[in-house]
Amino acid sequence: MTRWIRAGMGALGVGFGLWGLRLLLQAVSVDALIRLPLWLGGAVVTDDFILVPLTVGAGWLLTRWSMGPGRHRVVGVVRAMLLYVGVTTVVAIPLLIRQGKGVNPTVLPRDYFRDWLLLEATIVVVGVVIAVIQGRRLMFKRTRASSGDSGGR
């Protein structure tokens, strides 16, 4: 039974893939189809030789930093903050690069660089506030534990 379900799901996936390929071939011109593998290859090279080493390096630095007493509680907040900064930056890069270029200047009329900086600053400020709150909670728990106050009777 499981074998038939897997085969059916595989056939459904292949069917959707072929349908998407047909739509792609109908919607995109021939020169764009030639440029597409070049763009995808550039994305792979950028990912493998720039983004992955930066991510591994940042993770290594964060791990080294988090070896101090009590810092392990803040690592999750810092990782989440870095993840959000990275994802929003990757999403914003096309807008930042193409701003003000092209035939129609009204297509990208906003100041995307300023908006991106404000978004990143907001993410960092929220991350720092949460990290400070968690750090204070940890200090409060430590002082209570060291004073012999168990919070009980």
Side-chain angles (χ1 to χ4, degrees):
M1 180 68 172
T2 306
R3 178 185 245 176
W4 289 104
I5 293 174
R6 282 186 180 175
M9 295 296 283
L12 189 65
V14 168
F16 275 124
L18 291 174
W19 179 49
L21 180 64
R22 188 184 119 231
L23 291 175
L24 176 71
L25 292 175
Q26 288 175 347
V28 178
S29 67
V30 175
D31 19 317
L33 283 175
I34 293 170
R35 288 190 318 256
L36 183 63
L38 295 174
W39 185 87
L40 290 173
V44 168
V45 167
T46 301
D47 179 60
D48 289 350
F49 294 107
I50 295 174
L51 293 177
V52 170
L54 285 174
T55 304
V56 169
W60 180 80
L61 288 172
L62 183 61
T63 303
R64 297 286 296 165
W65 172 78
S66 68
M67 288 183 182
R71 289 187 180 164
H72 65 282
R73 297 191 186 272
V74 182
V75 172
V77 175
V78 175
R79 282 184 181 163
M81 181 179 64
L82 291 173
L83 176 72
Y84 288 133
V85 166
V87 167
T88 54
T89 299
V90 167
V91 169
I93 284 174
L95 296 173
L96 297 173
I97 291 173
R98 299 222 23 191
Q99 184 173 356
K101 296 180 181 176
V103 179
N104 186 355
T106 63
V107 172
L108 298 173
R110 299 184 52 123
D111 185 3
Y112 287 105
F113 184 70
R114 183 203 65 210
D115 294 346
W116 172 75
L117 286 176
L118 287 171
L119 176 64
E120 301 306 317
T122 303
I123 292 170
V124 169
V125 166
V126 169
V128 168
V129 166
I130 292 172
V132 166
I133 290 171
Q134 283 191 347
R136 290 195 180 190
R137 274 191 198 161
L138 177 66
M139 293 299 283
F140 179 70
K141 285 180 182 178
R142 274 196 191 149
T143 56
R144 282 186 61 187
S146 65
S147 68
D149 180 14
S150 63
R153 304 177 231 188

